[in-house]
Amino acid sequence: MVLADAGLVLAGIVLVFFGAALSVYAVALVGFLIGAGGAYVVAPTVLGAVGSSGFVSLAVAVAVGGLLGAALAYVALSVATSVPAFVVGAYLGLYVVTPLFTGGGPIRYLVAVLGGIAGAVVGFTLTKFALMFVTSFVGAALASGSLSAAALRTAREGPTLEPLLFDPLSTTPVLGAELPLFGALFGLGLLAQLGLFRLGWVARLATVLPGIGDVFGEGERS
């Protein structure tokens, strides 16, 4: 579990500060994490139904799920960006927008869906900015521990998605103090990634890593 948490935190840091700049690589990483995480949660139920179990079967299922998620993300870049954008928009609608005008109830799910649709539209039409937002959000969730290996394990035992839901406005204990770690990393990620574009680092990366311009078009290479 320690190694798994360390890997998730490392992936989160990469996404927070370099997500949009890495374009197709970040999209593939997000796709891999979603695919592998989903496979990890549902694999025991599916494998049990077909009479297969054990660590090897689970590892294969996670690997296949991750690779499938990465492949689908790579071949459908705009769609791949709009899907996590929908998830992020729904999260914000559920945990940030809804508490501003209601205490809860069924209306919060409608707000979550509307927030998700808005996020998906932005993700499809404004890919660069959506990718900055999505990778900062997902990366901050991983790097802050809001999405951890323990949460995935609890979700798998259900199976249920409840352990994977977190409040973006919550605080995290750091050295005895309660800090908005997720929010701080999310904000830093947006600023850092915007700075990479402003300072021309994305164009420099495009000369080293093939495919960087695939998400943003050739204009980002100049």
Side-chain angles (χ1 to χ4, degrees):
M1 293 297 289
V2 175
L3 290 177
D5 278 322
L8 291 177
V9 169
L10 179 60
I13 291 174
V14 171
L15 289 174
V16 163
F17 294 106
F18 306 103
L22 294 174
S23 67
V24 291
Y25 300 96
V27 170
L29 177 57
V30 171
F32 180 87
L33 291 172
I34 292 175
Y40 181 80
V41 171
V42 304
T45 301
V46 175
L47 293 174
V50 299
S52 179
S53 61
F55 175 79
V56 174
S57 297
L58 178 61
V60 171
V62 170
V64 171
L67 292 175
L68 181 60
L72 291 175
Y74 182 81
V75 300
L77 293 174
S78 294
V79 176
T81 306
S82 63
V83 170
F86 176 91
V87 175
V88 172
Y91 252 107
L92 293 179
L94 188 62
Y95 289 106
V96 178
V97 178
T98 302
L100 296 179
F101 63 87
T102 179
I107 187 65
R108 63 180 182 150
Y109 298 108
L110 175 60
V111 175
V113 171
L114 293 176
I117 293 173
V121 171
V122 172
F124 189 81
T125 57
L126 300 174
T127 306
K128 180 175 75 174
F129 298 104
L131 191 55
M132 277 192 271
F133 195 88
V134 167
T135 54
S136 294
F137 188 96
V138 175
L142 295 173
S144 66
S146 298
L147 288 177
S148 63
L152 285 170
R153 185 175 183 178
T154 303
R156 182 190 65 178
E157 292 171 351
T160 175
L161 293 178
E162 191 67 28
L164 304 180
L165 303 178
F166 66 95
D167 184 355
L169 301 179
S170 64
T171 59
T172 303
V174 179
L175 300 177
E178 293 290 334
L179 301 176
L181 186 58
F182 169 84
L185 287 171
F186 178 54
L188 285 174
L190 288 176
L191 292 175
Q193 294 195 51
L194 183 60
L196 290 177
F197 283 93
R198 296 288 187 185
L199 297 176
W201 279 99
V202 175
R204 299 180 189 179
L205 284 173
T207 64
V208 179
L209 299 175
I212 286 292
D214 290 353
V215 172
F216 311 126
E218 294 299 322
E220 293 295 341
R221 296 180 185 274
S222 58

